[in-house]
C-alpha cells in the first residue's frame, strides 16, 4: 500500500511528520482525481479503516524512533509489545511490512502480493508512479450473476469492485438466469423461463430485439464462441423416447440449431474457448464415470470416444477458461469441502488454488484482464458472497453479500 514515512538518520521527527502530512494530502488529491475514472474492489469502509490504521502506525513509529532511534527492520511484528499491537494486520488480514529504504509502510491488500509500484509519501508525484491504494484494488470489467430467491431468479450485473449493481433485462426476461454476454458485448444470451420450459433468448445489450432460439426442452448455460457467431448451450429434451442432456448450438447467421453432442454421456454447463471458436469445455456425466468429469470437445467434430481431460477421481464442475484459454479453473470436492483447482490444458497438470475450510464454493469465473477469478461462496451462516481472488494467494476480497444463493457468474471486460 501507499507508504508512510519511517524515520532513519536524516530528517527530524517534525520534518518527517510534515512529509507525512504532505503525502497524505497528495494521496487524497491523487485519489480524488483517479477514483472516478477507475474502479476499486476495496470498499470505502475498508479504505477508511486502512487510512486510520496508517495514521496510527505513523504515530507509533514516530514514538518508537524518538525513544530507540531509526527503525531499520522490515516486519512490524518486531515491534510487538512496543505500542504497535493495535493494528498488526490490514483490513484484509494481511500483515503490514515496513520498507525502511523508501520510508513507507506497505500493505499488500486483498491478494497478499507485493508487486505494484507505490508512491512514497512526501515525494513529488511522477508520471510513472501510481497510488497503490487504487492500483492494487483495481478490478476492471463487469461481473454478471444471478440471485436465486423465493420468487425465482433475478439476473444482475455490477462493476467488478461490487459497485453499481443493477438488474439485467428488467421485464425482458422472465426469471432469467445464466446471462452470457457476447465477446463484443453487443448481445446477451439468457436462459429464460417460459410456458414451454426454460428457453434460450438472445437480445441486444439494451434488451431490445429479443429472439427465442430454442422452442423445446429445458435449455440452460448459454456460452458464445470466440467469433460471436454461435451460442452453445445444454438442453434436456426427449431423444429416442427418453430425456437426455446434450449440447446444442445456434448459428446466428444461419438462424439454425443443431446438436453438438450425442451418445450415452450427458454433457452439461458448456464454456466456449475464448480464442478458438471450435473448442468448448463442459461437464460429462455417465454411469460408467460415476462422477462428473471435464471434457474438451470440438464443436464441429464431436468424437464418440472422447475421454475426460484427466483421470482425477474427484467430481468436477463449473469449468471456466483462465489465462486466455491456457488453463481451466473448476470446482472439485476435496475432503469435506469444495475447492478451486486449475488444470493446464497442455500437460494436464492440476493444482489447487483455494483453501476453503467452512465456506462452500458454488460457481466461479475468471477475469479477462489478469490472473484473478471470481467465486460465489455459501457461508457457514447460510448467507452467500461473491469474492474476487488471486491464485497467487488465498486471500479473498468480498464484493457482494446476499442472503440468497448465487446461481451463476460471468466476468467480462
Amino acid at each position: 500500500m501507499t507508504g508512510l514515512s519511517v524515520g532513519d538518520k536524516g530528517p527530524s521527527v517534525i520534518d518527517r511528520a510534515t512529509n507525512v502530512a504532505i503525502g497524505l494530502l497528495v494521496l487524497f488529491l491523487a485519489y480524488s482525481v483517479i477514483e472516478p475514472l477507475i474502479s476499486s474492489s476495496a470498499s470505502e469502509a475498508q479504505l477508511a479503516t486502512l487510512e486510520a490504521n496508517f495514521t496510527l502506525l505513523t504515530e507509533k513509529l514516530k514514538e518508537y524512533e524518538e525513544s530507540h532511534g531509526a527503525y531499520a527492520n522490515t516486519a512490524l511484528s518486531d515491534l510487538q509489545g512496543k505500542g504497535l499491537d493495535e493494528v498488526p494486520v490490514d483490513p484484509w488480514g494481511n500483515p503490514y511490512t515496513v520498507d525502511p529504504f523508501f520510508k513507507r509502510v506497505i500493505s499488500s491488500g486483498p491478494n497478499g502480493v507485493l508487486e505494484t509500484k507505490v508512491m512514497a509519501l512526501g515525494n513529488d508525484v511522477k508520471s510513472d508512479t501510481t497510488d497503490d491504494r487504487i492500483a492494487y484494488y483495481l478490478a476492471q470489467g463487469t461481473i454478471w450473476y444471478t440471485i436465486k430467491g423465493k420468487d425465482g431468479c433475478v439476473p444482475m450485473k455490477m462493476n467488478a469492485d461490487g459497485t453499481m449493481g443493477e438488474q439485467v433485462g428488467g421485464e425482458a426476461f422472465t426469471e432469467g438466469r445464466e446471462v452470457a454476454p457476447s465477446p463484443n458485448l453487443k448481445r446477451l444470451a439468457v436462459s429464460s423461463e417460459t410456458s414451454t420450459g426454460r428457453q434460450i433468448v438472445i437480445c441486444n445489450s439494451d434488451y431490445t430485439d429479443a429472439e427465442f432460439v430454442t422452442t423445446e426442452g429445458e435449455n440452460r448455460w448459454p456460452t458464445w464462441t470466440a467469433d460471436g457467431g454461435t451460442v452453445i448451450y445444454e438442453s434436456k429434451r426427449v431423444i429416442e423416447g427418453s430425456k437426455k442432456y446434450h449440447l446444442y448450438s445456434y448459428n446466428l447467421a444461419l438462424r439454425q440449431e443443431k446438436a453438438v453432442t450425442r451418445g450415452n454421456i450427458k454433457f452439461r454447463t458448456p464454456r466456449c474457448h475464448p480464442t478458438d471458436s471450435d473448442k468448448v469445455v463442459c461437464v460429462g456425466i455417465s454411469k460408467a464415470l460415476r462422477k462428473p468429469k471435464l471434457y474438451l470437445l470440438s464443436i464441429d467434430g464431436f468424437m464418440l470416444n472422447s475421454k475426460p481431460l484427466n483421470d482425477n477421481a474427484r467430481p468436477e464442475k463449473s469449468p471456466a477458461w483462465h489465462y486466455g484459454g491456457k488453463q481451466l479453473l473448476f470446482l472439485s470436492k476435496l475432503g469435506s469441502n469444495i475447492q478451486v483447482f486449475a488444470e493446464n490444458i497442455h500437460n494436464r497438470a492440476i493444482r489447487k488454488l483455494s483453501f476453503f475450510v467452512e465456506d462452500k464454493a458454488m460457481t466461479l469465473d475468471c477475469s479477462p484482464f489478469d490472473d484473478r477469478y471470481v467465486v460465489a461462496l455459501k457461508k457457514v451462516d447460510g448467507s452467500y458472497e461473491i469474492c474476487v481472488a488471486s491464485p497467487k494467494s488465498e486471500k479473498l476480497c468480498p464484493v457482494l453479500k446476499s442472503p440468497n444463493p448465487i446461481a451463476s457468474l460471468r466476468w467480462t471486460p
Side-chain angles (χ1 to χ4, degrees):
M1 296 300 301
T2 303
L4 297 180
S5 299
V6 178
D8 55 12
K9 295 178 181 179
S12 66
V13 171
I14 295 177
D15 289 337
R16 289 197 300 273
T18 301
N19 285 344
V20 170
I22 295 174
L24 287 173
L25 178 59
V26 171
L27 173 62
F28 175 79
L29 293 175
Y31 182 72
S32 299
V33 172
I34 298 175
E35 192 275 338
L37 302 178
I38 60 177
S39 49
S40 163
S41 63
S43 71
E44 290 301 318
Q46 287 171 316
L47 292 178
T49 301
L50 193 65
E51 197 76 73
N53 286 1
F54 275 174
T55 301
L56 178 59
L57 282 172
T58 301
E59 296 302 319
K60 295 299 182 182
L61 285 169
K62 284 166 55 181
E63 292 176 8
Y64 175 88
E65 290 181 332
E66 288 174 345
S67 302
H68 302 86
Y71 184 74
N73 296 323
T74 58
L76 285 178
S77 59
D78 296 340
L79 294 178
Q80 287 185 1
K82 298 183 176 68
L84 289 174
D85 297 345
E86 296 91 333
V87 282
V89 295
D90 67 18
W92 292 271
N94 299 307
Y96 292 104
T97 300
V98 178
D99 182 349
F101 182 79
F102 287 106
K103 301 161 128 21
R104 57 195 175 188
V105 176
I106 303 173
S107 167
S108 57
N111 62 6
V113 182
L114 296 172
E115 288 184 343
T116 60
K117 297 178 181 179
V118 296
M119 178 176 63
L121 292 184
N123 294 343
D124 292 335
V125 180
K126 299 179 181 179
S127 59
D128 60 347
T129 62
T130 60
D131 173 10
D132 189 49
R133 188 173 75 162
I134 296 173
Y136 230 136
Y137 307 133
L138 180 64
Q140 303 178 65
T142 301
I143 293 177
W144 309 69
Y145 59 101
T146 302
I147 294 179
K148 188 177 182 180
K150 294 181 180 179
D151 298 327
C153 296
V154 180
M156 305 285 293
K157 69 176 181 178
M158 64 181 174
N159 292 338
D161 63 357
T163 61
M164 300 297 291
E166 64 180 35
Q167 185 174 346
V168 174
E171 297 180 357
F173 305 136
T174 304
E175 197 185 332
R177 60 193 299 180
E178 298 124 21
V179 179
S182 63
N184 63 7
L185 305 181
K186 293 184 178 180
R187 293 184 178 180
L188 299 176
V190 182
S191 174
S192 184
E193 186 65 33
T194 72
S195 59
T196 60
R198 189 164 288 280
Q199 307 299 338
I200 302 299
V201 182
I202 294 178
C203 67
N204 294 334
S205 58
D206 61 359
Y207 317 129
T208 62
D209 298 326
E211 175 186 3
F212 284 85
V213 302
T214 60
T215 57
E216 63 174 307
E218 295 292 323
N219 304 275
R220 295 185 56 188
W221 299 105
T223 175
W224 296 80
T225 54
D227 58 13
T230 302
V231 177
I232 309 295
Y233 45 92
E234 72 170 45
S235 182
K236 183 181 182 181
R237 59 182 70 176
V238 177
I239 302 175
E240 297 176 347
S242 62
K243 290 185 177 181
K244 297 180 180 180
Y245 279 102
H246 277 292
L247 302 189
Y248 286 77
S249 68
Y250 182 83
N251 185 292
L252 273 67
L254 300 177
R255 302 176 68 84
Q256 182 180 36
E257 182 190 50
K258 70 174 184 178
V260 174
T261 64
R262 57 190 184 275
N264 295 323
I265 301 177
K266 301 175 183 178
F267 290 104
R268 306 194 62 181
T269 62
R271 293 299 298 272
C272 289
H273 194 281
T275 59
D276 188 339
S277 292
D278 187 45
K279 295 293 187 295
V280 61
V281 66
C282 59
V283 173
I285 306 171
S286 71
K287 293 182 179 179
L289 289 172
R290 296 186 179 180
K291 297 179 180 179
K293 301 297 299 178
L294 298 186
Y295 280 75
L296 182 61
L297 308 178
S298 170
I299 294 173
D300 290 325
F302 173 67
M303 302 296 292
L304 290 177
N305 62 350
S306 291
K307 296 181 179 180
L309 279 173
N310 61 74
D311 56 4
N312 173 23
R314 298 187 297 270
E316 300 169 346
K317 68 173 186 175
S318 194
W321 292 100
H322 194 222
Y323 279 126
K326 295 180 181 178
Q327 66 180 20
L328 281 166
L329 262 57
F330 60 94
L331 300 180
S332 183
K333 190 172 183 179
L334 181 62
S336 60
N337 211 330
I338 299 173
Q339 306 292 343
V340 179
F341 289 83
E343 178 170 0
N344 188 300
I345 292 300
H346 301 290
N347 61 17
R348 301 296 192 262
I350 298 177
R351 61 192 179 96
K352 182 174 72 68
L353 301 185
S354 65
F355 186 71
F356 302 127
V357 179
E358 295 179 321
D359 299 338
K360 303 289 184 182
M362 307 300 291
T363 186
L364 79 161
D365 198 20
C366 302
S367 168
F369 304 98
D370 51 35
D371 64 348
R372 284 179 284 190
Y373 61 93
V374 59
V375 59
L377 299 176
K378 182 178 181 180
K379 307 291 288 182
V380 67
D381 63 2
S383 64
Y384 295 82
E385 276 187 354
I386 294 179
C387 299
V388 172
S390 168
K392 294 180 181 178
S393 75
E394 295 171 355
K395 300 295 181 182
L396 298 174
C397 182
V399 295
L400 180 78
K401 296 181 183 294
S402 170
N404 298 313
I406 307 298
S408 64
L409 285 174
R410 288 290 190 275
W411 192 339
T412 65

